[in-house]
Amino acid sequence: MSDRSLLVVVLAAGEGTRMKSRLPKVLHKVAGRSMLHHVLAATRAAGATRTAVVVGPGREDVAAEASRIVPDAQVFVQTERLGTAHAVLAARAALEQGADDVLVLYADTPLVRAETLARLRAPLAEGAAVAALGFEPEDPTGYGRLVTSGNELVAIREEKDATTAERAIRFCNAGLMALAGKDALSILDRIGNANSKGEYYLTDAVEIARADGRPAVAAKADADEVAGVNSRIQLAEAEAILQQRLRRAAMAEGVTLIAPETVFFSADTVLGRDVIVEPNVVFGPGVTVGDDVVIHAFCHLEGAQLETGVSIGPYARLRPGTRLEAGVRIGNFVETKAAHIESGAKVNHLSYVGDAHVGAGANLGAGTITCNYDGFSKYRTEIGAGAFIGVNSALVAPVTIGAGAYVGTGAVITSDVPEDALAIARSRQVVKEGWAREFRAARAEAKKKA
């Protein structure tokens, strides 16, 4: 269907009161991404050529998230909440621009797949005016029912308006709908509110299309895939479903998960072949892992790039901006942040390496700390290739340790160390009364003048 244009209208104006949160419901995250992000990513993969997002009044945060994910998305505000059809018509300007196909989705259904959207859309190319997505829940109570006759969809009946016979139907409305672009506005404009709630139901599009002599059909999805998220409990259930998907996908692509149920991924985690992940590992957003990497137990990674043959952990924390080149070893209780560590280097125990560049083959002993922050600014540490840093050393940035240099055990390094030199920095303790107070006052004054 790549030759057919597709307008996607994502409804994201729900208040989400059951979340009991100051954060809009659709910005709550599943696998490191907002629910809105998941839906928009699925629509892009399904071939969306234009995107419209309908938000509630004052929801600049939701609008900003939509624009971040789809920069050319059109954002519309639904000023009143008068039903789903009313919400779609908030995007009238986008609908008036025309499209072959129109998809209507909800921003609180983060598990929907691109292939399901393609299957929902497919009947439009065959002449259908409306296609609705259905599913069969264990308990249909509370859901609208899809009333079918043979291969045709006759009506979607809200439970409050359904007859006893219609309530016995187990094929339920998932809410997602596809409309033929040339018919969409005409159908939407004729939807009325003569129902028990006095709202304009998008579901009435089915009967209007049929009254025009145009066919309506239903597509089917798994119940898990179309589950809406309206509470923290449902958010956790969606997380569990998506994590299971991500774990199975990783293993199918050649990753060994020793205890899959204890490993948590972000939606954007990228893993190479023959990666081994031990139990209780968490991947935050922005992690890329090369081939033959070993991630030992109880590690946390975020915004990090690991190249071929890296080994980390156990109990390592890689923070954003970490880049580990091939063969790097990061050991137990090591934290890195904004650190580029070149091939073959080792940071094996109890160390913090932040705002630093470590050359190839360097060895940082246990307890090495790059002192990158003075309370006001961050500074960088440069460690040359093949350098050896003794245990319990503090490298006070900005400082450069030359290639091949040695830093003696327990040193506090405040000046650059030349290549192949030995630096030993040990002395008796000196206490200067009031120095810290004067330093803070001086820096605060300098900051005011800046």
Side-chain angles (χ1 to χ4, degrees):
M1 291 183 290
S2 59
D3 58 334
R4 294 177 64 85
S5 59
L6 172 62
L7 167 65
V8 174
V9 180
V10 179
L11 305 184
E15 292 182 331
T17 55
R18 280 184 282 170
M19 297 294 287
K20 300 188 184 303
S21 174
R22 290 182 295 273
L23 186 70
K25 175 175 69 170
V26 301
L27 297 188
H28 281 265
K29 292 183 177 180
V30 179
R33 279 183 177 173
S34 71
M35 290 194 280
L36 176 59
H37 190 161
H38 281 286
V39 173
L40 291 175
T43 64
R44 284 187 296 175
T49 50
R50 287 192 297 116
T51 301
V53 180
V54 179
V55 304
R59 288 274 61 119
E60 289 80 8
D61 44 6
V62 178
E65 174 75 345
S67 297
R68 183 184 70 84
I69 300 159
V70 183
D72 61 350
Q74 295 175 275
V75 178
F76 300 92
V77 178
Q78 183 188 11
T79 55
E80 298 179 275
R81 291 179 172 84
L82 302 178
T84 49
H86 178 262
V88 177
L89 282 172
R92 179 182 292 276
L95 292 162
E96 288 175 342
Q97 294 174 36
D100 292 320
D101 303 335
V102 176
L103 274 180
V104 179
L105 291 86
Y106 296 84
D108 62 357
T109 55
L111 302 178
V112 66
R113 301 175 190 263
E115 50 266 37
T116 299
L117 299 180
R119 193 168 67 252
L120 173 62
R121 177 189 175 196
L124 302 182
E126 300 171 359
V130 176
L133 192 63
F135 70 109
E136 292 187 2
E138 291 184 9
D139 180 2
T141 303
Y143 293 106
R145 306 303 204 273
L146 299 187
V147 183
T148 59
S149 176
N151 294 325
E152 290 195 21
L153 178 61
V154 176
I156 304 176
R157 198 79 70 216
E158 295 297 324
E159 186 171 66
K160 290 182 178 181
D161 302 312
T163 65
T164 301
E166 288 170 340
R167 290 182 185 181
I169 297 170
R170 301 192 61 83
F171 193 27
C172 295
N173 181 33
L176 287 70
M177 183 175 286
L179 299 164
K182 64 185 180 64
D183 300 314
L185 268 175
S186 172
I187 291 173
L188 291 166
D189 280 333
R190 284 181 284 161
I191 291 176
N193 64 344
N195 52 66
S196 61
K197 294 180 70 175
E199 292 188 353
Y200 298 88
Y201 293 148
L202 179 61
T203 51
D204 289 348
V206 173
E207 291 178 90
I208 292 172
R210 286 178 57 82
D212 289 343
R214 299 294 309 283
V217 298
K220 189 175 180 180
D222 292 337
D224 285 347
E225 187 177 352
V226 295
V229 174
N230 295 297
S231 67
R232 307 280 184 151
I233 295 170
Q234 292 174 340
L235 186 70
E237 290 169 349
E239 182 76 42
I241 293 167
L242 188 51
Q243 288 299 332
Q244 183 66 3
R245 282 189 197 173
L246 294 171
R247 292 165 188 151
R248 294 180 68 87
M251 291 186 285
E253 290 299 317
V255 175
T256 296
L257 304 181
I258 303 299
E261 69 281 3
T262 70
V263 177
F264 290 83
F265 293 110
S266 284
D268 63 352
T269 304
V270 177
L271 301 171
R273 294 284 178 89
D274 293 313
V275 172
I276 298 174
V277 183
E278 292 184 356
N280 298 296
V281 173
V282 176
F283 294 85
V287 176
T288 301
V289 178
D291 295 344
D292 302 306
V293 169
V294 178
I295 301 174
H296 294 287
F298 293 98
C299 289
H300 189 285
L301 305 82
E302 180 178 357
Q305 178 183 346
L306 286 64
E307 298 182 8
T308 302
V310 164
S311 174
I312 70 167
Y315 293 98
R317 183 184 182 196
L318 307 187
R319 292 170 60 194
T322 294
R323 179 187 171 193
L324 308 181
E325 292 191 9
V328 165
R329 296 291 183 267
I330 300 293
N332 52 295
F333 301 103
V334 172
E335 179 179 352
T336 64
K337 189 270 297 181
H340 177 188
I341 303 179
E342 293 187 357
S343 58
K346 298 178 181 178
V347 189
N348 276 327
H349 322 279
L350 303 160
S351 297
Y352 171 71
V353 182
D355 295 286
H357 179 270
V358 179
N363 189 316
L364 279 61
T368 297
I369 303 295
T370 59
C371 306
N372 58 333
Y373 184 53
D374 65 0
F376 295 90
S377 301
K378 295 288 183 74
Y379 303 94
R380 288 193 65 79
T381 297
E382 297 285 339
I383 300 173
F388 185 95
I389 312 299
V391 300
N392 291 326
S393 295
L395 310 180
V396 183
V399 69
T400 297
I401 312 299
Y406 267 62
V407 172
T409 297
V412 178
I413 301 299
T414 59
S415 300
D416 292 351
V417 178
E419 292 184 7
D420 298 317
L422 170 65
I424 301 174
R426 305 188 188 108
S427 63
R428 291 180 300 170
Q429 179 173 310
V430 176
V431 177
K432 296 184 178 182
E433 295 287 346
W435 182 94
R437 180 176 60 253
E438 294 169 5
F439 172 74
R440 287 192 294 269
R443 291 307 299 263
E445 184 64 27
K447 190 173 182 179
K448 288 180 183 178
K449 293 179 180 179

